[in-house]
Amino acid sequence: TLPTRPPVLLLTRPRPQSEHFARLAASALPPHEAVIAPLTDIVPLPVASDAFAGARGLVLTSANAVAMVAHLAPMPAWCVGAATAQAARSAGFDVRISGGDAAHLIADLARARPAGPLVHAHGVHLAADLSARLAGLVDLRGVAVYEARTCDWPAGLVGDLTGRQVIAPLFSPRAAELLAGRIAG
C-alpha cells in the first residue's frame, strides 16, 4: 500500500496568529502538515488625535485592535472573548470579558449599560456594527484603528492542496468568503 499523507492544517489568519495556532496545534492535534497562508495582513490606520477624547472605556472585538490602543491602558475594556481579553490584559487594560461572539458582547453591554462614552476600536471590516445595535442603550461610537488587507498566496498553493484532506479553521465570515474565493478561482 502507498503511504498516506497527513491532512493539511491550512492556517489563514494573519501570520502572527497563524504561527501561534500552529504551535498550539502541533501538540494538540493528530499528525498533520501545517501550512501558513494568510488571507490578510493587519495594517494600522491613522486615527484622529481626538478619536478617544472623553472615552470612559473601550469595546474590543479583536486582539488586532489592542496594539493600536495600548496607549489608553489601564482604561476599562469590554472584550468579545478570551483571546481579545488576554491581549488587552497583557497591555494593561481593566478587562471585562464576554461570551466569545458579538451577540454575547451586545447582550452584556445592553444589560450592564456602562457609563459612556465608550469607543469600539475595530477594523475596517465589521462583522457587526455594535454602535448601531446598541444605539439608545449605550453611548458608543466606533473608530477603525486597523485594516485587514488581503494579501497574495504563493503561486501554486491551491494546486498543492488539490487532492489532499484540508482542515481550515475560520474565525470570521469575511475569512470564509476570502477562502472560498481563493479555492474557487
Side-chain angles (χ1 to χ4, degrees), residues 38-66:
L39 293 166
T40 59
D41 288 323
I42 302 303
V43 179
L45 295 176
V47 176
S49 60
D50 64 347
F52 297 95
R56 296 183 66 188
L58 295 175
V59 175
L60 300 169
T61 51
S62 171
N64 292 317
V66 174

Side-chain angles (χ1 to χ4, degrees), residues 12-21 36-38 40-42 154:
T12 61
R13 299 191 85 191
R15 186 161 295 281
Q17 289 104 328
S18 286
E19 289 172 349
H20 177 73
F21 197 103
I36 296 175
T40 59
D41 288 323
I42 302 303

Side-chain angles (χ1 to χ4, degrees), residues 133-160:
R133 300 273 301 275
L134 290 163
L137 296 174
V138 178
D139 182 3
L140 175 66
R141 67 182 181 270
V143 175
V145 297
Y146 72 91
E147 182 177 4
R149 292 188 184 153
T150 58
C151 55
D152 293 330
W153 270 2
L157 177 62
V158 173
D160 293 343

Side-chain angles (χ1 to χ4, degrees), residues 54-159:
R56 296 183 66 188
L58 295 175
V59 175
L60 300 169
T61 51
S62 171
N64 292 317
V66 174
M68 311 329 169
V69 297
H71 64 284
L72 298 170
M75 164 179 299
W78 289 79
C79 299
V80 70
T84 304
Q86 174 66 33
R89 195 173 291 113
S90 294
F93 286 99
D94 179 14
V95 171
R96 285 120 175 102
I97 187 169
S98 197
D101 61 24
H104 281 96
L105 181 59
I106 290 166
D108 289 346
L109 286 165
R111 188 173 27 261
R113 296 189 185 200
L118 303 178
V119 177
H120 177 201
H122 58 75
V124 169
H125 306 281
L126 290 172
D129 184 347
L130 301 185
S131 297
R133 300 273 301 275
L134 290 163
L137 296 174
V138 178
D139 182 3
L140 175 66
R141 67 182 181 270
V143 175
V145 297
Y146 72 91
E147 182 177 4
R149 292 188 184 153
T150 58
C151 55
D152 293 330
W153 270 2
L157 177 62
V158 173

